[in-house]
Amino acid sequence: MDGNAGPVYRPAMNPAAPAVVDFWFDFSSPYSYIANEWVDALVARHGRTVHRHAILLGATFQAAELRSPVSYPMKREYSIADFARSARFEGLPYRHPENFPIPTQNAARIFWWLHDTDSPAAAAGWSRAALRAYFTRGVALNDAVALKALAGASGLDADAAEAAWNDATWKQRLKAENDAAIAAGIFGAPSFMVDGELFWGNDRKPQIERWLASGPF
Amino acid sequence: MDGNAGPVYRPAMNPAAPAVVDFWFDFSSPYSYIANEWVDALVARHGRTVHRHAILLGATFQAAELRSPVSYPMKREYSIADFARSARFEGLPYRHPENFPIPTQNAARIFWWLHDTDSPAAAAGWSRAALRAYFTRGVALNDAVALKALAGASGLDADAAEAAWNDATWKQRLKAENDAAIAAGIFGAPSFMVDGELFWGNDRKPQIERWLASGPF
């Protein structure tokens, strides 16, 4: 009955279906933004599909006793430069947001609302729209007015989106995903689970690709 | 006159000579062991040479207020698995040492003694011998008897090596390198400086390779 009593994550094990690649991300994570742009094409090349999980790094950091790299003075300057360089390495635009990091529970609740009431594809579309808005145009996902406007501009019903992020159903849905991620050993984002193997970080892309191409190594 | 008053690092700027790639490592860092195996061939493909710097992560962690990833309970299990997987990804043997991490000042002082009294190539050879010994055979580099035996087995004068790690000259040489690394913004290992651009981590290999192949991106 404590905060960690959420559902335990278990990878899909149906041998008849193409195995999914689970992908955990946070809307305030630059490396999640980058990975969110390449993950679909990479796994599609190997006959897989992506199962996205919006989570809150604040929850996993607390569970794992970690802090954001930008909270360490010497690491901060390097990290901000590396965010932009890692985006350029993937051919992606990046503009470091003036206000960073930010709380992203409302954006994440919209994700789960779309995921459960429309489709995983609709939620994936929202993940791209919101991450691009924050990391290329500085749209403040933590600001209710800006977030509602972004939802509307992204083709969602803006009033329904606002109602969703205030709804206990989607608050609880997000909390359960955070708890499940922590129970699965997730301590940062982006994280990936491929056939039970955990990979942490945008920079594990080459290892994930080899794993998908030729199996465990 | 304080602990940070060491020489300030400046990259080589002689346009007539092939620019070096500076490489900082710690003898107790698994990702340093891995990078130490690929760095020479990678930079040689692009007409460069490596300038190795043995440092102590304990010093940079203290300056940057950081801790080893294995000191965080949730990150520990993943990190130990990732050390071995990242070695396999490079085709390298790896056996996680029972005693990890360990203090490595004596191994690092041997490095600087060889570097300054013999040659950078001799010091590079020692870096390979000692990192392989610790990360594939569990040789305790922090144990004076084991370290002296390793020095002898590696073709060094074992008595001279022991004298070197107890000599104030090489203690001070290592301290100056730690201070210079911190002054250059180094907060972890392995780290690389390419034409003034800092890269941190074994997993920045693809970015370093692109930088060397086609310049800044």
Side-chain angles (χ1 to χ4, degrees):
Chain A
M1 301 300 283
D2 62 38
N4 287 324
V8 173
Y9 169 76
R10 292 193 176 79
M13 284 300 183
N14 177 359
V20 302
V21 170
D22 287 278
F23 169 60
W24 289 263
F25 69 98
D26 177 292
F27 280 98
S28 186
S29 155
Y31 298 125
S32 289
Y33 154 65
I34 298 168
N36 194 51
E37 295 288 331
W38 57 251
V39 66
D40 298 271
L42 182 137
V43 307
R45 284 200 292 278
H46 302 286
R48 308 281 192 116
T49 55
V50 178
H51 185 179
R52 279 178 171 75
H53 304 257
I55 58 169
L56 299 181
L57 272 182
T60 62
F61 280 167
Q62 186 173 33
E65 300 168 38
L66 295 166
R67 288 157 54 195
S68 166
V70 299
S71 72
Y72 298 94
M74 276 186 71
K75 213 169 174 178
R76 177 182 170 81
E77 186 184 357
Y78 173 83
S79 295
I80 291 173
D82 190 67
F83 299 155
R85 186 175 64 199
S86 295
R88 293 194 302 272
F89 186 70
E90 293 290 342
L92 298 171
Y94 185 87
R95 197 177 79 193
H96 193 65
E98 276 186 46
N99 191 7
F100 173 87
I102 55 171
T104 56
Q105 66 273 21
N106 290 346
R109 290 170 191 155
I110 292 175
F111 175 92
W112 287 112
W113 164 65
L114 287 169
H115 181 279
D116 293 359
T117 65
D118 187 330
S119 65
W126 168 247
S127 75
R128 281 185 283 268
L131 284 162
R132 289 173 188 169
Y134 181 49
F135 287 111
T136 69
R137 306 193 306 276
V139 174
L141 306 181
N142 58 324
D143 178 84
V145 173
L147 186 63
K148 192 171 174 179
L150 178 68
S154 304
L156 307 181
D157 177 331
D159 288 325
E162 184 180 34
W165 83 59
N166 285 310
D167 185 325
T169 302
W170 310 113
K171 292 181 180 180
Q172 181 51 39
R173 180 75 168 93
L174 174 59
K175 184 180 181 310
E177 281 286 336
N178 288 334
D179 292 344
I182 293 163
I186 307 293
F187 56 84
S191 288
F192 310 82
M193 192 79 81
V194 185
D195 307 332
E197 182 83 0
L198 177 61
F199 296 88
W200 167 57
N202 174 62
D203 41 29
R204 286 297 171 275
K205 182 186 179 191
Q207 293 193 16
I208 294 167
E209 178 129 52
R210 185 183 297 178
W211 198 279
L212 290 170
S214 49
F217 59 84
Chain B
M1 302 300 284
D2 62 35
N4 288 325
V8 174
Y9 170 78
R10 291 194 176 80
M13 285 299 183
N14 177 359
V20 302
V21 171
D22 287 278
F23 169 59
W24 289 264
F25 69 98
D26 177 293
F27 280 99
S28 186
S29 155
Y31 298 124
S32 290
Y33 154 65
I34 298 168
N36 195 52
E37 295 288 331
W38 57 251
V39 66
D40 298 271
L42 182 138
V43 307
R45 284 200 291 278
H46 302 285
R48 307 282 191 114
T49 56
V50 178
H51 185 180
R52 279 178 172 75
H53 304 256
I55 58 169
L56 299 181
L57 271 182
T60 62
F61 279 168
Q62 186 173 34
E65 300 168 40
L66 295 166
R67 288 156 56 195
S68 166
V70 299
S71 72
Y72 299 94
M74 277 186 69
K75 212 169 175 178
R76 177 181 170 81
E77 186 183 356
Y78 173 84
S79 295
I80 290 173
D82 190 66
F83 299 155
R85 187 176 63 198
S86 295
R88 293 193 302 272
F89 186 70
E90 293 289 341
L92 298 171
Y94 185 87
R95 198 177 78 193
H96 192 65
E98 277 186 45
N99 191 6
F100 174 86
I102 55 171
T104 56
Q105 67 271 21
N106 290 347
R109 290 170 191 155
I110 293 175
F111 175 92
W112 287 112
W113 164 65
L114 288 169
H115 182 278
D116 292 2
T117 66
D118 187 331
S119 65
W126 168 247
S127 75
R128 282 185 283 268
L131 284 162
R132 289 173 187 169
Y134 181 50
F135 287 111
T136 69
R137 305 192 307 275
V139 174
L141 306 181
N142 59 323
D143 177 83
V145 173
L147 186 63
K148 192 171 174 180
L150 177 68
S154 303
L156 307 181
D157 178 331
D159 289 326
E162 184 180 33
W165 84 58
N166 285 309
D167 186 326
T169 302
W170 310 113
K171 292 180 180 181
Q172 180 51 39
R173 181 73 168 93
L174 174 59
K175 185 181 182 309
E177 281 287 336
N178 289 333
D179 292 344
I182 292 163
I186 307 293
F187 56 84
S191 288
F192 310 83
M193 192 79 81
V194 185
D195 307 333
E197 182 83 1
L198 177 62
F199 296 88
W200 167 56
N202 175 63
D203 41 28
R204 285 297 171 277
K205 182 185 179 190
Q207 293 193 16
I208 294 167
E209 178 129 52
R210 185 183 297 179
W211 199 279
L212 290 170
S214 50
F217 59 84

